[in-house]
Amino acid sequence: MNTIKSNPIGFFDSGIGGTSIWQEVNKLLPKENTIYLADSKNAPYGQKSKENILEYCIKNTEFLLNKNAKIIVVACNTATTNAINYLRENYDIPFIGIEPAIKKAGLVTKNKKIGVLATKGTINSKLFEKTSTKIDHSIKIVEQVGYGLVELIENGEIQSLKMEKLIFTCLNPMLKENIDALVLGCTHYAYLIPQIKRIIGNHIQIIDSGLAVAKQTQRVLTSDDLLNSSTNKKTFHHFYTNKESKILIEILKNYNPVKVIEKEF
Ligand code: DGL
C-alpha cells in the first residue's frame, strides 16, 4: 500500500518566497507530489507580532493537513524561527524548517565578518538569537533587516529600479563593515541573487539554505519511510494563493505540470 507515501509534501510561506525552496525540493525529489500555500494576503510576516505569525502558521498547517500533507516544509525563515517549536509540539507529522545559515557562513568566512539579511521577525526571534551564539564568538555578525524587499517581490517588482536602490540601501551597512559572506535569511531573497551579485561583486560569498532544506526533507522522508514509491510517473503540484496569482504563475512558468489556484483562506 502506498497511500501515505504518495500523499503530498506540504509547503507554506507568507507568499511566493518559499517557491525557491520548493524548486530545490522538487529537483532533489522529483517523484514527490506537492502542495504549496502562499499566504500572500498576510505578507509580510516579518513585520508582524509573534502571536500573529503563530496564528498564520497554525492556519496554514491546518490547510495543508486537510490536503493530506505527509510532511510540512515551513518554507519561511520568519515562520520557522517564531513557530516551528509550537508546530512540532502540537501536530503529529514531521516539520522541516529553514533558518538563516549562520553556521555555514561561520565556516566560510575568512575575515570573520558575516552579514545576515533577514526580516525583522527573524532577527528578533529567540531561535535566531540562540543560533547566533552557537558560532565562533570571534566572528562578527552584521544583521540587517531587509525593509521593503518582500513587499516589492510580492508586487512583482523584482527587476525594478526601486528594488535595485532598496537592495543597495540594505546591503550598504554590511559592505561598510567589509563582510566576506552574506547569509540570505529570507526565502524571498533568493529571487534577488542576480541584483545582489551586481552590487556586492565576487569577493562576498552568498549563502542560502535551499539545498540544505531539500536534503533534510529527503533525510526525514527516508528515515520515516515516507518517500513516494508509487510507480505512477505522473506527479501533481498544486499551488494555492489567497491573492492574485500572476507572480506565482510567472515564477513557475518553467515547471510543468503545475496548477496555480486562487483561493480565499
Ligand atoms: N519568506 C519569508 C522568510 O523566509 C517571510 C517574508 C515575510 O513575509 O516577511 O522569512
Side-chain angles (χ1 to χ4, degrees), residues 46-97:
Q47 300 293 326
K48 304 277 163 62
S49 68
K50 187 180 164 65
E51 290 71 31
N52 278 155
I53 296 169
L54 190 57
E55 186 192 310
Y56 302 143
C57 291
I58 292 170
K59 197 190 61 178
N60 297 340
T61 298
E62 303 276 345
F63 182 98
L64 292 171
L65 289 178
N66 278 331
K67 302 273 177 215
N68 296 322
K70 62 182 174 182
I71 184 170
I72 291 180
V73 178
V74 181
C76 172
N77 292 261
T78 315
T80 299
T81 50
N82 286 278
I84 201 151
N85 290 342
Y86 178 92
L87 298 175
R88 285 187 174 137
E89 278 160 21
N90 287 279
Y91 295 95
D92 201 20
I93 59 161
F95 286 87
I96 308 295

Side-chain angles (χ1 to χ4, degrees), residues 195-211:
Q195 290 96 312
I196 292 177
K197 275 193 177 153
R198 274 204 294 277
I199 294 169
I200 66 175
N202 291 329
H203 65 289
I204 301 176
Q205 194 167 329
I206 296 178
I207 295 160
D208 78 359
S209 324
L211 181 60

Side-chain angles (χ1 to χ4, degrees), residues 35-42 59-60 62-64 66-67 238-245 248 259-265:
I35 302 263
Y36 182 99
L37 176 57
D39 187 17
S40 293
K41 192 177 75 185
N42 292 311
K59 197 190 61 178
N60 297 340
E62 303 276 345
F63 182 98
L64 292 171
N66 278 331
K67 302 273 177 215
H238 294 169
F239 289 77
Y240 289 88
T241 175
N242 51 11
K243 240 182 153 181
E244 211 197 309
S245 56
L248 205 46
K259 193 166 152 193
V260 179
I261 305 142
E262 283 183 26
K263 193 174 162 45
E264 273 294 317
F265 53 84

Side-chain angles (χ1 to χ4, degrees), residues 187-227:
T187 53
H188 281 75
Y189 302 163
Y191 289 111
L192 303 178
I193 289 176
Q195 290 96 312
I196 292 177
K197 275 193 177 153
R198 274 204 294 277
I199 294 169
I200 66 175
N202 291 329
H203 65 289
I204 301 176
Q205 194 167 329
I206 296 178
I207 295 160
D208 78 359
S209 324
L211 181 60
V213 172
K215 285 185 177 165
Q216 179 62 5
T217 308
Q218 184 183 43
R219 266 194 294 273
V220 173
L221 288 178
T222 307
S223 66
D224 290 4
D225 196 21
L226 283 172
L227 280 171

